[in-house]
């Protein structure tokens, strides 16, 4: 992964970022290497590895470009894994191998304009008509939205049952009545695609319901238990990248006749960054190892995501500070990390929501 990121990603990072260009060819290459389906069994076309390997891959990609990290994370943990967790054999066979090989790019649509943290209040509807479900509504902020060949979409099938009235559906690109909407112009992770998904009387076969009717929200939360580990890894990679840049620069930059790394104020920043990154890595690996052991990780996933994302924001901030004025310009990587990391405290549940999840788990026990 490290070699691949250095060779295939690093030379293009700023060009993709400036242009908001989705690195489609690179994503396809990752598919050929088996990296778009790391956590799925070989029988389904996956790489047959576990979460520990998966978070290592996401960290290495994100250390160079968080945009590639989030593309792979949303594709794997949210879209493909929701299918893996809730799909029937036919659905798994049909979609997982295509997603794992990179033939298909996957998206996952839960968030709506009026339903973010409170995702259970979604308003996108699916109405049964004969042998079909007809979807109407809009999903917003969907990673890979405009490039996805298949999207897992959560919609209301029973308005009276609140979170137990939500169901998941598989919607393929080109389905009549389905189109990507506005592509967001973002602060960071600009090479990743964040788009609306619009459904206007979009009829899908009844066989495209994913999981049981009414289980869409519960299955989405199960997918997020894995997804949050990948956002922890995304955070970790960017924190490490920001730290690496700061360490290197501190040894090169001379002021008052010596490298700035000789000033204790800079050394303490580096020491704090390295220590917190290590702690974030251990929390992330713990959650990944527990997942590999088949344990429930709701609390540990949220702890890893909360801590790693907050550490990443702090490290990116300190990296800019260590670079001084050069941290503010685009010739050095610190500026991009500073913009990119902020998503990590927001996506797949904000830091406030992670605390809420952790507290609920603590109070349950
Ligand atoms: C780049 C990007 C990619 C994304 N990718 C996807 C994707 O692929 N699929 C998808 O479904 N979604 C995706 N999202 C959406 C993301 O998960 C939501 O933005 C996030 O969950 C927050 O929802 P919101 O933006 O509506 O904020 P809101 O829920 O409106 O929150 C606003 C503020 O209020 C706080 N708040 C809300 N409720 C509470 C509470 N109960 N207690 C304390 N504070 C609270 C929040 O923490 C936050 O600070 C993406 C978002 C971005 C920016």
């Amino acid at each position: 992964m490290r070699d691949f990121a250095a060779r295939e990603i690093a030379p293009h990072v700023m060009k993709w970022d400036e242009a908001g260009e989705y690195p489609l060819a690179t994503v396809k290459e990752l598919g050929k290497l088996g990296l778009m389906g790391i956590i799925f069994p070989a029988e389904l076309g996956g790489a047959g590895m576990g979460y520990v390997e998966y978070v290592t891959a996401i960290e290495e990609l994100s250390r160079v470009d968080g945009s590639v990290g989030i593309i792979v994370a949303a594709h794997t943990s949210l879209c493909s894994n929701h299918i893996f967790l809730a799909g029937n054999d036919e659905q798994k066979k049909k979609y997982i191998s295509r997603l794992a090989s990179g033939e298909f790019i996957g998206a996952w649509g839960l968030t709506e304009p009026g339903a973010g943290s409170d995702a259970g209040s979604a308003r996108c509807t699916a109405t049964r008509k004969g042998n079909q479900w007809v979807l109407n509504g809009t999903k917003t902020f969907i990673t890979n939205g405009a490039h996805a060949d298949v999207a897992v979409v959560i919609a209301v099938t029973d308005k009276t049952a609140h979170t137990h009235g939500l169901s998941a559906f598989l919607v393929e690109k080109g389905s009549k009545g389905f189109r990507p909407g506005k592509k967001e112009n973002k602060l960071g992770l600009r090479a990743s695609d964040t788009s609306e998904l619009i459904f206007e009387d979009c009829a899908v076969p009844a066989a495209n319901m994913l999981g049981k009717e009414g289980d869409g929200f519960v299955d989405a939360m199960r997918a997020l238990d894995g997804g949050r580990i990948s956002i922890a890894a995304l955070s970790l990679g960017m924190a490490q990248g920001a730290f690496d840049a700061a360490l290197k620069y501190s040894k090169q930059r001379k002021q008052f006749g010596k490298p700035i790394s000789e000033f204790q104020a800079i050394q303490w920043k580096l020491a704090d960054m390295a220590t917190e990154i290590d702690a974030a890595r251990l929390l992330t690996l713990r959650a990944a190892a527990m997942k590999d052991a088949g344990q429930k990780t709701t609390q540990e996933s949220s702890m890893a995501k909360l801590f790693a994302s907050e550490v990443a924001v702090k490290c990116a901030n300190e990296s800019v500070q260590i670079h001084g004025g050069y941290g503010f310009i685009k010739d050095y990587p610190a500026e991009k990390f500073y913009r990119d990391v902020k998503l990590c405290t927001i996506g797949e549940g904000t830091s406030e929501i992670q605390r809420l999840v952790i507290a609920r788990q603590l109070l349950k026990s």
Side-chain angles (χ1 to χ4, degrees):
M1 282 313 308
R2 191 170 288 173
D3 282 352
F4 180 86
R7 202 177 55 242
E8 305 287 336
I9 300 175
H12 312 292
V13 167
M14 283 316 284
K15 179 175 75 85
W16 292 340
D17 179 72
E18 297 269 285
E21 183 185 331
Y22 188 85
L24 186 60
T26 307
V27 173
K28 296 285 177 189
E29 280 304 310
L30 284 167
K32 283 187 201 152
L33 290 172
L35 295 162
M36 297 299 278
I38 298 178
I39 52 176
F40 305 111
E43 311 86 83
L44 290 173
M49 292 193 246
Y51 273 77
V52 170
E53 291 84 359
Y54 175 49
V55 299
T56 307
I58 298 288
E59 180 186 345
E60 289 299 331
L61 290 173
S62 310
R63 196 170 175 171
V64 175
D65 191 3
S67 285
V68 180
I70 195 175
I71 289 169
V72 178
H75 167 97
T76 308
S77 300
L78 299 182
C79 178
S80 309
N81 200 39
H82 193 137
I83 299 171
F84 184 66
L85 288 173
N88 56 36
D89 287 348
E90 211 172 301
Q91 290 167 335
K92 286 191 216 176
K93 217 167 135 204
K94 179 170 177 194
Y95 290 105
I96 302 274
S97 61
R98 288 179 179 159
L99 287 158
S101 69
E103 179 194 339
F104 270 20
I105 290 171
W108 187 79
L110 176 66
T111 306
E112 296 185 4
S117 299
D118 183 14
S121 66
R123 292 174 64 180
C124 178
T125 56
T127 313
R128 183 80 188 232
K129 288 204 175 136
N131 215 14
Q132 294 182 319
W133 286 95
V134 180
L135 276 71
N136 277 291
T138 301
K139 295 288 169 184
T140 196
F141 297 154
I142 307 307
T143 302
N144 296 333
H147 287 84
D149 299 282
V150 63
V152 171
V153 181
I154 318 295
V156 181
T157 44
D158 179 358
K159 274 188 193 140
T160 62
H162 193 47
T163 51
H164 294 288
L166 291 161
S167 307
F169 296 90
L170 288 154
V171 185
E172 286 196 31
K173 187 183 198 165
S175 302
K176 197 163 172 268
F178 167 45
R179 61 185 165 89
K182 182 181 168 221
K183 178 180 183 289
E184 304 298 346
N185 186 5
K186 307 194 294 289
L187 167 74
L189 299 178
R190 291 175 53 80
S192 72
D193 152 33
T194 311
S195 301
E196 283 179 331
L197 301 181
I198 298 175
F199 303 91
E200 288 164 327
D201 288 329
C202 169
V204 296
N208 283 27
M209 179 178 273
L210 186 59
K212 288 198 198 115
E213 186 174 342
D215 277 359
F217 185 78
V218 176
D219 289 338
M221 295 303 115
R222 288 202 292 150
L224 282 174
D225 278 354
R228 286 171 180 160
I229 305 176
S230 72
I231 301 299
L234 172 72
S235 311
L236 187 56
M238 290 195 275
Q240 186 68 54
F243 171 81
D244 293 344
L247 182 69
K248 183 173 165 203
Y249 185 80
S250 73
K251 292 196 267 190
Q252 289 169 348
R253 177 67 174 171
K254 285 195 175 130
Q255 288 294 281
F256 300 96
K258 51 183 164 181
I260 60 168
S261 60
E262 289 185 22
F263 300 123
Q264 198 176 44
I266 301 293
Q267 290 175 1
W268 284 23
K269 285 187 196 301
L270 292 169
D272 284 349
M273 288 161 83
T275 306
E276 290 179 14
I277 290 170
D278 243 17
R281 183 172 291 110
L282 290 172
L283 278 178
T284 306
L285 287 171
R286 176 184 67 169
M290 283 177 67
K291 199 105 190 99
D292 286 341
Q295 293 171 21
K296 189 168 189 285
T297 63
T298 306
Q299 182 175 317
E300 290 76 12
S301 296
S302 282
M303 283 178 164
K305 196 268 186 191
L306 169 65
F307 189 78
S309 63
E310 300 275 339
V311 163
V313 168
K314 192 172 155 193
C315 286
N317 182 39
E318 291 292 46
S319 182
V320 170
Q321 194 65 22
I322 290 171
H323 281 78
Y326 296 94
F328 205 69
I329 61 167
K330 290 175 185 284
D331 295 356
Y332 289 83
E335 175 267 351
K336 182 170 176 295
F337 284 120
Y338 185 79
R339 289 185 286 111
D340 287 351
V341 285
K342 192 55 201 157
L343 180 272
C344 299
T345 65
I346 297 169
E348 295 198 28
T350 61
S351 289
E352 291 76 15
I353 294 302
Q354 302 312 320
R355 288 186 171 93
L356 191 143
V357 171
I358 295 163
R360 271 190 196 147
Q361 294 297 316
L362 293 173
L363 293 167
K364 245 194 218 175
S365 58

